[in-house]
Amino acid sequence: EAQVTQNPRYLITVTGKKLTVTCSQNMNHEYMSWYRQDPGLGLRQIYYSMNVEVTDKGDVPEGYKVSRKEKRNFPLILESPSPNQTSLYFCASSLGLAGGLYEQYFGPGTRLTVT
Amino acid sequence: AQSVTQPDIHITVSEGASLELRCNYSYGATPYLFWYVQSPGQGLQLLLKYFSGDTLVQGIKGFEAEFKRSQSSFNLRKPSVHWSDAAEYFCAVGSSGTYKYIFGTGTRLKVLA
C-alpha cells in the first residue's frame, strides 16, 4: 500500500530535550515536506526537500532541522524544543518533478507537546 | 508573495443542502490549485486539483471546483452534502517556479442531520 508513515504519532517532551520525528514514504517520490498545523493558522511549511541531499526552508524553519540522506526518509529534528513548537506535524511527499505541480500525500500526523 | 485566503472559518449546512467553500489566492503566474480534506484525527486527502485547461474540475466524493482567474478564486462546491462530509477543508496553491506550497487557514464544515 502506498503510504507516508510518521513516528511517533504522539510525543510529550520537555524543553531542550532533542527529539527526532521520522517520516518515510514508499512511493519513490522525489519531493518531501514537513508542515505544522496550528489552530487558526492552517498548515505552514517548515522545510522541504526536492531530492536526496537537497533541502530548503519553508515559511517557518526556525528551531527545526532536516536531512535527506535517502530518498524514502525525511526526518524532522528539533535540537532544543520549546513550548511554542507544540503543534501537530505532518510529513508529505509528491513526485515534485515540476515545482508545485503535483498533489501531496500526507502522513497521519505527529502530535507534539513540549512542556 | 503567494497567499491563500479562506474567508469562512466555520460553515454549517443541513444534510442534503448544497455547499460552497470559498478560496481566494494571490499569485503572479498561473497557479496550481488544490483542495484537501482533513477528517478528525486524520491526515489530509486530496479532493481535486487544477493545473490548466477546463476551469471546472471534478474531484472525489462528488466535489467540484471552478477556477476563475478574473476573481482569483477557486471555490469548492457540492450539490448535496452528506453527514460524512463534516471535516476541515483546505485550499492550497503550488508554485510553478519553486517547490513551495501555501495552504489556507481552513474551513471547518459542520453538517446538521
Side-chain angles (χ1 to χ4, degrees), chain B residues 4-15:
Chain B
V4 177
T5 302
Q6 293 181 248
D8 304 304
I9 299 173
H10 297 280
I11 283 187
T12 300
V13 300
S14 297
E15 191 170 20

Side-chain angles (χ1 to χ4, degrees), chain A residues 31 96 100-104, chain B residues 32 36 38 49 51 95 99 101:
Chain A
Y31 182 94
L101 178 64
Y102 293 93
E103 67 268 27
Q104 296 179 86
Chain B
Y32 303 142
Y36 291 87
Q38 183 182 29
K49 60 189 178 186
F51 296 148
S95 165
Y99 287 83
Y101 290 84

Side-chain angles (χ1 to χ4, degrees), chain A residues 9 31 33 35 37 40-45 48 50 57-59 88 90 94 96-109, chain B residues 9 32-34 36 38 41-46 49-51 88 90 92-106 108:
Chain A
R9 293 289 312 278
Y31 182 94
S33 181
Y35 297 86
Q37 183 180 14
L41 298 177
L43 276 80
R44 293 179 292 168
Q45 197 168 32
Y48 57 95
M50 294 76 82
K57 297 177 181 179
D59 292 321
L88 179 59
F90 287 102
S94 79
L97 294 176
L101 178 64
Y102 293 93
E103 67 268 27
Q104 296 179 86
Y105 295 80
F106 284 83
Chain B
I9 299 173
Y32 303 142
L33 295 162
F34 308 86
Y36 291 87
Q38 183 182 29
Q42 304 292 315
L44 280 75
Q45 179 185 21
L46 180 74
K49 60 189 178 186
Y50 172 80
F51 296 148
E88 190 156 22
F90 292 94
V93 60
S95 165
S96 60
T98 72
Y99 287 83
K100 298 180 88 170
Y101 290 84
I102 304 293
F103 281 78
T105 53
R108 187 171 296 278

